[in-house]
Amino acid sequence: MGVSSVGIKQLSSVVIRFAGDSGDGMQLTGDRFTGETAFFGNDLSTLRDFPAEIRAPAGTLAGVSSFQLQFADHGIRTAGDRPDVLVAMNPAALKANLGDLAVGAEIIVDSDQFKRRSLKRLGYETNPLDDGSLDGYRLHAVPLTSITIEALREFPISKKEAARAKNMFALGLLCWMYDRPTDSTVEYLRRRFGNRAEIADANIAAFRAGYAFGDTTETFATRYEVRPAPLPEGRYRNISGNLALCYGLLAGTQQAGTPLFLGAYPITPASDLLHELARHKTHGVRTFQAEDEIAGIAAAIGASFGGHLGVTSTSGPGMSLKAEALGLAIALELPLVVCNVQRAGPSTGMPTKTEQADLLQAMFGRNGESPVPILAPRSPSDCFDMAYEAVRIATKYRTPVVLLSDAHLANGSEPWRLPDLNHLPDIGVRFATEPNRDGEFWPYLRDPQTLARPWTVPGTPGLEHRIGGLEKLDGRGIISSDPDNHEAMVRVRAAKIAGIAADMPSLEVDDPGDRAEVLVLGWGSTHGAICSAVRDVRERGGDIAQAHLRHLNPFPANTAEVLGRYRTVLVPELNLGQLRTLIRASFDVHTVGYNRVRGLPFTSAELAAQIEELI
């Protein structure tokens, strides 16, 4: 790393956090900086943190909203442990985030907001901009609000509307500091405020004023350059987990040849799935905003009976309400995809915070013996692949599938290489169209390989059959209370799910040199932090192996063999040990848990310390 003669410093990676009140537009500011960074060609990862309230109390710690971004000239997995730059729009944002900064980090604050009354409300006895408490940081106190208002003085908008544009001024300044492109932000602002040209023009002017301020002021003597990352060749776009999940469902149903029906009740952080899929009517998608969670899944089951792929989306509280209807779909043996975007609980809990605490609920949260396949994506872009896999399994095996995403994946984003649809697995569905047993139609006559029953569209002549939650006679499908038949049906449904293991990828292990005695086994969104921690430990000379589960029920067929190679299996989870419980129940291995439930993802540093303690 060195400083050029023109004041440009080369960096390999940067972590920036934008923080302010919920009304300060920090999520929008972070989104736009991320968009420009993706366009530039850096690898990146983002982390959003915001209150559950629509408009939390202004100027309070509880009301602080933040957006963190790491971008680099090499492959990265997380949004970073500690910000190199904090943009704080008020004293509360500074106080809430200061403890996360390393000494020497850069702090940019809106000095206009550091008034005596605001400081006293937060417990400040003196102004931190003047009392020397920030001497260990590179502080830039910039009157963002007053400069923005002055820059927009000639525009036909109110002073209040002008002040709201200070986030665009800050964005322009950061784009100058890190040599980001600007054209796509200008185009975005014109689209966003297309029906109010004066607001669009004012925000563009504020954005350009921030860029010019960095170029002309003596406050910032150095600019920074992070060169593009050498990503594999292809066409990329920045994508969030929720959006990738929607695209995976769309691609899956297109390839399967079945229309997609979403029955859902809005719930944070899964509501984006309903919003996005509602935009795709031209692709045969039908969305139904139900009056409650039960109606959402019931409608989706009805759609599957009618020949569509039924999908329902929710979070943990909604999964509790859907449990009985999910049992109905298991008994009916119909394809259904249940997307649970997990959040911190129990009950309402912390709706905007992340957690991985619904795994045991997905496994056992129903009455009777009612197994379902469970999948979990490991990154925002992997939500596409696992949604596609959920469609494949649901349609091939005629079963509900639970897909466990979480708030960190849903709201986070990263570059995604667009797939070639011609190379996606063939998952075409064949509906039953004629009798299958001596001139009759037996709705539970099973495929000998998959144990799946036929799927037929209602109204097909001669294929009428009984449905409902009462136990059926295997094969013929009429209602049966026979004890032996019930046991046979319970066992065959379980065997069908267990047999999916033979149709899944093996569990891959990253163990250079096959020397490690400790394996780190993760699932879901912990993947990025685990990868970063493992890399750091190896760079310091430690031998450590890593594996990550994307199929949680059934486990991949080689799971026992993989786990048996290691003296200790470390299982980091954002819960109190749910995967570890399943592993210990299924395999004779020595496991150690590392568990946090703070509503935040792991940092790579804390995981690396735990790994080094074990090895």
Side-chain angles (χ1 to χ4, degrees), residues 431-449:
F431 289 100
T433 58
E434 56 188 25
N436 56 6
R437 180 65 180 263
D438 298 329
E440 298 182 4
F441 177 64
W442 285 23
Y444 284 86
L445 187 65
R446 301 180 181 279
D447 182 292
Q449 298 298 319

Side-chain angles (χ1 to χ4, degrees), residues 283-367:
H283 292 98
V285 176
R286 296 294 178 266
T287 54
F288 167 55
Q289 181 173 321
E291 64 270 30
D292 55 42
E293 296 281 2
I294 300 171
I297 187 173
I301 293 170
S304 288
F305 176 68
H308 290 54
L309 176 66
V311 178
T312 189
S313 57
T314 190
S315 192
M319 281 294 289
S320 300
L321 295 167
K322 293 180 188 293
E324 182 181 1
L326 184 53
L328 171 62
I330 293 167
L332 293 176
E333 299 189 49
L334 285 171
L336 177 73
V337 177
V338 182
C339 304
N340 177 1
V341 187
Q342 300 166 94
R343 69 190 205 189
S347 188
T348 308
M350 299 190 296
T352 60
K353 310 300 181 182
T354 196
E355 207 161 271
Q356 292 181 294
D358 295 350
L359 175 55
L360 294 184
Q361 179 192 45
M363 280 288 295
F364 305 119
R366 295 167 298 282
N367 65 295

Side-chain angles (χ1 to χ4, degrees), residues 10-13 41-43 71-76 225-230:
Q10 298 288 338
L11 301 175
S12 62
S13 67
N42 298 119
D43 197 11
F71 58 103
D73 63 5
H74 58 276
I76 57 173
E225 181 178 72
V226 180
R227 291 173 177 166

